[in-house]
Amino acid sequence: MERALAFSVCGDLARDEIIGFLVHLGRGVQGRSSGRSTEYTPAGGPVRHPAEDGPCGTMGRMGVLMHLPSGRRLPLRSVHVVGRAQSCDLHVPAREVSAQHAALRWNGTEWTVRDLGSRNGTFVDGVRLDVAQEWTLSLHAGLGFGSPAVAFRLVEDGPPLAMAVPLDGGEPVLVEHGLLFLPDADAPQICIYQDGARWVSDPADGSAVRDGGLVDAGERAWRLHLPHAIAATAAAPAVHLWLRDLTLRFRVTPDEEHVQLLLDTAGGEYDLGARAHNYLLLTLARQRLRDREEGASSEEQGWVYHDELSQMLCIEPNVVYVHTCRARKALAKAGVADAYDIVERRHGSGRVRLAIDRFEVETTPS
């Protein structure tokens, strides 16, 4: 009879020892901490695990281990430590597994695994690794920790993605189209995105956030896991769109109940459909138009205080932010690389505006 195996992920990494070990071997990596463990009991009892498609539908595009006996899918971080210690990213409480047994690592182009001096060994497709040997993992490679029996398989080999893990347990929230919404994409309170080499948070006037840092959203505390190599290693999208190359075309019904948004580019037209958040962009576009007609310079056109915008839209300030995030998400999904900047902030002033000054507004039949 198969022995019951309980394991957990998202633990507090005993990072000083592991990172120091890897650096000693000439493999420097970014340090980080993790959130509290989430228990898995595949052979009975309640099971809590990250959704296979992820809250943002991105798990299939990142590194994922599958626990074969249970079928659970585990998203991988840039450095993912496996061991018996509760602090490990992948906690395997089996006697043959060492406290810090092995480490999986994204090296910028592929996933590798290294034995961390375990007593009973780390195995790839039944082959035992030498201590400190770094082995490149191919897609569908089988892994055994403390035994040659394959317990885990690398079922997705994409680069690690940014995620946030709730400290009170539960599913991680994964980045979607470059944007990490907390507590979720439906009612975001915080948006975290990559700005060049750093990750920043909004609202907070674009303050930098760090890998392993804590943020509060949705009455929960979240631990951030923010890889730094994604921009350089992720495959380039088939289409590059930038805000500077777009013209926004708004099609508005006479009662303004429906606002359709189309992106006009040199490569064609992209229909983003009629959505409630399009009215926010339309309102900001009209503010730019009014200021332009009054002779304001391009640098001064369109700025409006956040509270004033809330009154113009007849919605609460937190709903304004939700609609802003949804507009950014829609553009990002359409392939706009700098979608986050569609609503521009003037730092320290509490004012925002539409970043694009090229737009057209057309009234269409109801």
Side-chain angles (χ1 to χ4, degrees):
M1 179 179 297
E2 181 180 297
R3 177 177 57 81
L5 172 64
F7 62 94
S8 67
V9 296
C10 307
D12 289 317
L13 178 60
R15 39 192 315 295
D16 291 339
E17 296 179 29
I18 304 304
I19 299 301
F21 182 83
L22 294 176
V23 170
H24 175 71
L25 293 173
R27 302 288 186 178
V29 296
Q30 294 289 337
R32 54 167 181 68
S33 303
S34 310
R36 201 179 75 182
S37 294
T38 299
E39 285 294 330
Y40 291 74
T41 51
V47 177
R48 301 173 64 200
H49 58 91
E52 293 194 5
D53 291 331
C56 299
T58 55
M59 190 177 290
R61 300 193 296 275
M62 65 185 298
V64 177
L65 275 187
M66 177 181 285
H67 179 241
L68 297 181
S70 66
R72 304 302 174 217
R73 295 165 64 91
L74 315 173
L76 293 174
R77 302 169 189 168
S78 299
V79 176
H80 211 90
V81 178
V82 181
R84 194 178 68 251
Q86 288 278 355
S87 59
C88 290
D89 296 297
L90 176 53
H91 172 222
V92 185
R95 286 183 295 179
E96 64 268 24
V97 175
S98 298
Q100 283 87 37
H101 192 103
L104 286 85
R105 185 174 72 90
W106 175 255
N107 66 9
T109 57
E110 55 200 356
W111 287 98
T112 66
V113 62
R114 169 175 275 149
D115 187 89
L116 298 178
S118 69
R119 173 175 294 181
N120 296 311
T122 298
F123 299 81
V124 178
D125 294 326
V127 177
R128 182 167 180 164
L129 306 185
D130 294 334
V131 173
Q133 178 185 5
E134 188 164 47
W135 186 281
T136 299
L137 294 175
S138 59
L139 185 62
H140 305 306
L143 292 165
F145 304 107
S147 166
V150 174
F152 297 90
R153 191 174 299 282
L154 184 69
V155 295
E156 301 289 348
D157 61 355
L161 298 181
M163 70 177 83
V165 179
L167 295 190
D168 59 2
E171 299 176 354
V173 173
L174 307 179
V175 71
E176 180 180 14
H177 305 295
L179 305 175
L180 180 61
F181 296 113
L182 295 175
D184 56 55
D186 292 329
Q189 297 177 8
I190 295 175
C191 178
I192 294 169
Y193 62 101
Q194 199 165 15
D195 181 15
R198 66 176 191 154
W199 290 88
V200 296
S201 174
D202 178 79
D205 280 343
S207 298
V209 291
R210 65 178 181 85
D211 184 35
L214 292 175
V215 296
D216 294 317
E219 300 183 349
R220 303 174 82 181
W222 302 79
R223 179 80 67 186
L224 300 177
H225 300 284
L226 306 173
H228 297 285
I230 290 179
T233 59
V239 177
H240 286 288
L241 299 177
W242 298 90
L243 292 176
R244 63 176 179 266
D245 302 322
L246 301 180
T247 296
L248 303 186
R249 300 191 187 280
F250 297 96
R251 292 179 178 172
V252 188
T253 57
D255 58 6
E256 301 201 340
E257 287 294 320
H258 299 279
V259 178
Q260 181 183 7
L261 177 60
L262 300 100
L263 307 182
D264 191 4
T265 75
E269 195 172 70
Y270 296 80
D271 187 354
L272 302 189
R275 301 289 186 271
H277 56 257
N278 291 343
Y279 192 70
L280 176 143
L281 299 181
L282 174 64
T283 301
L284 292 175
R286 286 170 168 168
Q287 184 64 43
R288 284 201 73 133
L289 182 59
R290 282 192 292 269
D291 290 347
R292 183 187 303 166
E293 292 173 346
E294 293 175 1
S297 67
S298 178
E299 292 76 14
E300 296 302 321
Q301 291 173 11
W303 293 107
V304 59
Y305 286 99
H306 193 270
D307 289 344
E308 183 182 356
L309 179 59
S310 172
Q311 295 173 6
M312 294 165 67
L313 296 170
C314 299
I315 57 179
E316 294 296 322
N318 65 307
V319 181
V320 173
Y321 185 66
V322 170
H323 284 191
T324 302
C325 288
R326 289 176 178 172
R328 290 165 171 161
K329 178 181 175 182
L331 287 169
K333 191 173 182 179
V336 179
D338 52 349
Y340 182 85
D341 295 326
I342 184 62
V343 177
E344 185 179 2
R345 287 181 176 273
R346 176 166 280 181
H347 296 312
S349 72
R351 293 193 290 172
V352 298
R353 73 170 180 177
L354 183 70
I356 294 178
D357 62 1
R358 298 171 307 283
F359 50 83
E360 298 176 4
V361 181
E362 173 189 355
T363 301
T364 61
S366 300

